Every structure is written in structure tokens, then in C-alpha cells.
Amino acid sequence: MAAKVRVMLVDDEDHIRLFMRKVLATMQAEVVVEAANGKEAIELYRQHKPDITLMDINMPVMTGSDALKKLLDEFPDAFVIMLTSLNTADVVKECLIAGAQNYIRKDLPLPEIKKQIRETWAEYVKIKMAEKSVGEN
Amino acid sequence: MEAQRYDLRQMRKEIKEDETMANRRAEDVTDDRELSHDEIRRLVEKQNSSTSDE
């Protein structure tokens, strides 16, 4: 049986985290930790090292885009998917240039959100397999 | 008199050019267009392919 994807959910809205937790449970994914803002996300990432982080942008204390940059400074291999309602070109480009693996709008139909998360997960697995193969050779 | 008219024309032309340059710079700095799902998807794919090429 394939290992479950270990996910960190970062969103200041409880109901979104609850919803995504239920969605991820249907996708061979396990939510190992949840954070309500960017600062908390960085602290919890250090402790739990999730495979994938689903990150909202508009949050108190520290935004998701600031947290993304700080997280990737410290953990360049972190796999972060932005999951947000924001869709302005500046914000999307800022996150992608900073290193987000994907950028998903929350108003996408659920099957499409799941499909995009799966695709990013597949990319993560591919990279990890390649790293493992290089390590063995 | 003719020389003054020329100076004025030249000055206007330069002001216009400055405004055009300033507008171009402003466009480079801010892009607050709202992107559709497809536009975001294309940007993600473009960014990921450029990252994997490096």
C-alpha cells in the first residue's frame, strides 16, 4: 500500500481547514498539522516536516506569500501549494516566482482541486524518487 | 519667435515621452488583472517548466 501524503494545512478559517481535511482524507492524504497563519506555519513546519503544504494567502499575523518565501529560504525542498481566493496577476506571479509548486483558486470545482493536488503530489514523488536514485548511485 | 515655438514643441515632445516611459514602468510594476483559472494554470505550467529546465 502506498504511503499517505503528509500534509500541513494553513488557513485562518476553521471551516476551510475542516473542509480540506475531509477532502484530503478521501485522497490517501493525512493532515499531520494545521496552522492559522504564516508565522505558525513556519514554526509547525520545522517540527513536522510535511510532504506538502497547502497555504492560504490572506491571513493575519503573516500572509501566506510571506510565509512561503521564509519557508523556502529555510527549507528549499518544501512543496507548497497556494490555495486561495486571490487571483490578481501580481499575487499569482509573486508566489510562483518565490517557488510555490502550484496555485489553486478555492472557487475551482472540487474535482479539479483534487486533480491539481494529485498532480503536484505526483511531481513531489517523482522528485523524491530521482533524489533517491541519485543517492543510491 | 520661430526658435521659441521649436523649443516649446520640443519640450512638449519630451514631456510626452517621459509620460509614456512612466506609464510603461508603472505597468511593469503593478499588474492587478484578475486571472481566470486557465490563465493561472498556464502561468503555473510555464513557471514549472522553466524551473525544471534550470
Side-chain angles (χ1 to χ4, degrees), chain A residues 71-107:
Chain A
L71 201 58
L72 289 172
D73 272 350
E74 194 173 337
F75 303 98
D77 294 339
F79 246 65
V80 183
I81 300 174
M82 309 313 285
L83 182 64
T84 174
S85 313
L86 298 180
N87 65 339
T88 50
D90 270 347
V91 177
V92 176
K93 286 176 191 168
E94 181 190 1
C95 292
L96 293 177
I97 289 167
Q101 291 293 325
N102 205 340
Y103 191 107
I104 304 174
R105 274 172 59 177
K106 282 177 182 167
D107 61 348

Side-chain angles (χ1 to χ4, degrees), chain A:
Chain A
M1 193 175 135
K4 283 192 170 183
V5 188
R6 299 172 63 258
V7 178
M8 173 163 76
L9 276 180
V10 188
D11 201 303
D12 57 325
E13 293 182 78
D14 292 349
H15 67 279
I16 299 282
R17 294 204 308 271
L18 174 65
F19 173 71
M20 284 311 298
R21 203 158 56 230
K22 285 176 188 271
V23 169
L24 290 163
T26 68
M27 304 173 57
Q28 283 287 91
E30 179 192 3
V31 176
V32 288
V33 64
E34 296 181 18
N37 62 63
K39 187 168 181 278
E40 214 175 88
I42 295 168
E43 286 158 8
L44 291 170
Y45 189 98
R46 289 187 190 116
Q47 295 170 37
H48 296 270
K49 306 275 169 57
D51 299 321
I52 286 185
T53 299
L54 285 177
M55 180 97 77
D56 185 24
I57 294 181
N58 209 357
M59 294 183 288
V61 186
M62 184 189 288
T63 66
S65 44
D66 284 345
L68 167 74
K69 290 172 200 160
K70 286 182 193 293
L71 201 58
L72 289 172
D73 272 350
E74 194 173 337
F75 303 98
D77 294 339
F79 246 65
V80 183
I81 300 174
M82 309 313 285
L83 182 64
T84 174
S85 313
L86 298 180
N87 65 339
T88 50
D90 270 347
V91 177
V92 176
K93 286 176 191 168
E94 181 190 1
C95 292
L96 293 177
I97 289 167
Q101 291 293 325
N102 205 340
Y103 191 107
I104 304 174
R105 274 172 59 177
K106 282 177 182 167
D107 61 348
L108 259 185
L110 183 56
E112 184 61 23
I113 291 181
K114 289 169 81 168
K115 180 172 169 265
Q116 291 205 26
I117 292 173
R118 277 203 189 93
E119 284 173 4
T120 308
W121 167 237
E123 191 60 27
Y124 173 84
V125 171
K126 205 168 92 183
I127 290 172
K128 288 291 155 192
M129 295 285 276
E131 283 173 2
K132 197 175 165 207
S133 140
V134 169
E136 284 168 357
N137 293 332

Side-chain angles (χ1 to χ4, degrees), chain B residues 4 6-7 9 11 14-15 21-23 41 45-46 48-49 52-53:
Chain B
Q4 275 179 337
Y6 173 79
D7 283 344
R9 274 202 303 271
M11 207 184 298
E14 281 170 10
I15 289 169
M21 287 299 288
N23 286 339
R41 185 88 176 140
E45 282 166 5
K46 192 174 153 196
N48 286 345
S49 68
S52 63
D53 288 346

